Each structure stands twice: as C-alpha cells, then as structure tokens.
Amino acid sequence: MVINQNIYPYGAQVKNLPIYLTGIGGSEFQYHIKRSEGYYWHQILYSANGTGCLKYNNVSINMSEGYYFFLPAGFPHEYYPTNGNWNVQWLAFDGYACVQILNELKMTKPIAVQFTDSSSLQKTFNKMFTAQKYDKVYADYICSGLIYQYVIEFHRMAFDKNLSGGNDKSNILTPVINYIDENFQEDFPITILAEKAGVSPQHLCRIFKQTMHMRPNEYVIRRRLKEAKCLLSETDMPISDIGTRTGFSDAGYFSTVFKRYEGISPVEYRKSQKFIKL
C-alpha cells in the first residue's frame, strides 16, 4: 500500500485507554525534520524507499530501505533525505500506560534496525491506516489494539536476536518450553534443557530469565501449578494425589509451594472454584 497522506485521530473517547494511536501516515517526499526537544508522542518510522539519515545524541545512522526507527516522546532527534526522494511511513502513539509498557520492553531510547522481512508489521500498519481512513465510528478503538500489537511485534523483531551469537531467541527457547510442557511432572537437570536449546546451561538461564522474566526451574513450578489448578477445579481427586501427579514430592511441599505462588492453599482454591461454578 502506497501511503502519501497523514491522519491525526481526534476521538476524545480513547484518551483514557492505556495506549492509542495519535497519528499515522507517510510521504514519498520526506522533508528535513529537526526537533531539538523531541516530539509530543512516541513514534515508529519506516524507510520504505530511498535513503535518509537519522541523528540523535551525536549518533548518525544511514537509513536505507527496510529500516525502522523508534523515537521515544521528548527525545531530541533529526532526520532528513540524503539521496533524492525518501519515502517514509510513520505512526505515533500515546496513552497512560505507554511509559510502563515501553519501560518493560526496554524501549526507552531510539532504536534503528533493519528487517529482511517486515510483512507482519506492514500488514498491521495498513490495517490501522485503512481503519482510520474508512471507519468513522470504531477506528480509534480498533487502532488501540492494533498499535499495541504493532509495538509488541516491533519489539520482538528488534530484540529477538541473541547478541552473542545472532541466534533467534525463539529458536533457543521454543524447544525448551515444549520439553518442559511435555515433561513437567518429572525432575530433570538443566543440562537436558540446554541440550534441547543447543547452548550452555549458563547461557540458557540468562536468555530464559531475560525473555521470560523467570528462571527455567520457576517455569517448571508454574507449569505444575497450572496443571494442579485444573485438577483442583475439574476433579475430586485427593489433593495429595494431585501433588504427586503434577510432580511435587509430597503433599506438604505441594501445599507450601501452591500457597507461596497463589496466595491461598489448594483446599481454599478448590472451594473458591466450586463456589464460582455454582
């Protein structure tokens, strides 16, 4: 889709949403932009064709076709074409949860990255642009969900590379998580998981913690508790048997771990689920 128009949503009803679109568009003839105090909103821009230069904090980055660059709100920057016409697509967003979301994603500074395949981002961008252009009633709500999806996908693509080896984190973690999900009732050493990932145990723990915000052994415990909650809710199986079936060594340890993570005992959890069903 060729974008050569800028749209600025004005729906006041979305101002209370955690994240919402504040602008979207593009230009086949991008002009020189210099913002000594940054922009009002967070932005993600796409170099669709031609070349340009992005400058911030005494850093200069040549932006050829396929480059994306993220600019946080209020961050001083400058960008301009360097060789003829420069086609740039852009979107901007805000919302009361934006700072929290971007902090969680470690998107607090400018990011420039080139993707070999950005079709998923482009499809989401096109959906937002089309909604803003043609849906006069629900566009802002639709775009609230789509901009969140867009930011998460951008983050995944930009940060999913293992800096020490260039390996995709998904390729490392997916076989590990699959193995845990299929064998969570058993006890197994970290070396087994490292073999599945094809990396050292130390490196696996670092990547797992960085991505999943927990260590592999904690993921095992949470997977066991997930199964235990299903059995507590859907069966009349004795609690001691549930603990054994989900991989805990004894009923006492099961109850202790369950309460530590869930805040209530297995007995209390079962009672609360039966009450809900009634």
Side-chain angles (χ1 to χ4, degrees):
M1 179 186 292
V2 177
I3 306 294
N4 200 26
Q5 177 186 359
N6 296 329
I7 301 174
Y8 297 91
Y10 54 83
Q13 70 271 26
V14 301
K15 299 292 180 155
N16 294 324
L17 294 177
I19 187 169
Y20 56 88
L21 189 72
T22 56
I24 188 169
S27 173
E28 296 183 77
F29 309 99
Q30 179 61 54
Y31 56 90
H32 193 145
I33 297 289
K34 186 174 183 179
R35 299 185 176 111
S36 58
E37 297 182 359
Y39 195 46
Y40 304 112
W41 306 306
H42 310 284
Q43 299 177 85
I44 297 179
L45 303 97
Y46 169 57
S47 178
N49 195 19
T51 59
C53 182
L54 168 67
K55 291 185 176 182
Y56 62 90
N57 283 357
N58 297 319
V59 175
S60 295
I61 300 175
N62 293 321
M63 309 295 294
S64 57
E65 183 176 341
Y67 259 97
Y68 283 77
F69 48 107
F70 164 72
L71 295 166
F75 204 104
H77 63 271
E78 177 182 10
Y79 57 91
Y80 52 85
T82 55
N83 185 16
N85 298 335
W86 188 28
N87 185 341
V88 173
Q89 296 178 4
W90 66 277
L91 57 79
F93 56 97
D94 199 6
Y96 71 81
C98 266
V99 172
Q100 181 180 355
I101 292 170
L102 295 175
N103 284 342
E104 176 66 22
L105 297 176
K106 296 180 174 60
M107 292 173 59
T108 57
K109 297 179 180 180
I111 300 168
V113 60
Q114 187 174 31
F115 303 132
T116 55
D117 180 9
S118 62
S119 57
S120 60
L121 286 173
Q122 284 302 105
K123 287 179 182 177
T124 306
F125 181 95
N126 291 341
K127 286 180 181 178
M128 285 188 280
F129 187 84
T130 300
Q132 285 296 329
K133 193 169 184 179
Y134 298 109
D135 191 330
K136 305 302 181 182
V137 178
Y138 292 106
D140 291 346
Y141 292 111
I142 292 170
C143 289
S144 176
L146 290 174
I147 187 60
Y148 184 76
Q149 177 182 331
Y150 189 94
V151 171
I152 295 298
E153 180 66 5
F154 173 84
H155 171 269
R156 184 191 69 80
M157 293 176 66
F159 287 84
D160 209 22
K161 297 298 180 182
N162 171 21
L163 297 179
S164 64
N167 296 318
D168 192 317
K169 288 181 183 179
S170 296
N171 292 336
I172 293 175
L173 296 180
T174 297
V176 172
I177 294 172
N178 286 342
Y179 183 85
I180 294 174
D181 286 345
E182 294 169 3
N183 301 276
F184 64 87
Q185 303 96 331
E186 304 174 12
D187 292 323
F188 41 80
I190 187 66
T191 52
I192 293 292
L193 300 180
E195 288 175 6
K196 298 293 180 183
V199 297
S200 69
Q202 295 80 8
H203 188 58
L204 173 61
C205 287
R206 183 166 60 251
I207 294 297
F208 205 101
K209 174 71 173 178
Q210 184 182 65
T211 307
M212 305 296 291
H213 301 289
M214 67 181 84
R215 296 187 181 279
N217 63 326
E218 183 179 349
Y219 183 86
V220 173
I221 292 173
R222 290 185 180 278
R223 180 63 184 85
R224 289 174 175 177
L225 292 176
K226 179 181 177 181
E227 183 68 16
K229 287 190 288 185
C230 288
L231 294 174
L232 288 167
S233 300
E234 300 171 5
T235 75
D236 293 322
M237 185 183 299
I239 289 175
S240 59
D241 291 350
I242 291 176
T244 302
R245 181 166 172 172
T246 53
F248 294 95
S249 55
D250 57 65
Y253 179 60
F254 168 54
S255 295
T256 298
V257 173
F258 192 98
K259 188 166 186 177
R260 183 192 310 157
Y261 280 86
E262 303 299 328
I264 57 177
S265 69
V267 173
E268 293 169 326
Y269 182 84
R270 172 171 273 173
K271 288 180 180 179
S272 70
Q273 294 303 300
K274 287 184 176 179
F275 177 78
I276 290 172
K277 290 179 180 179
L278 292 174

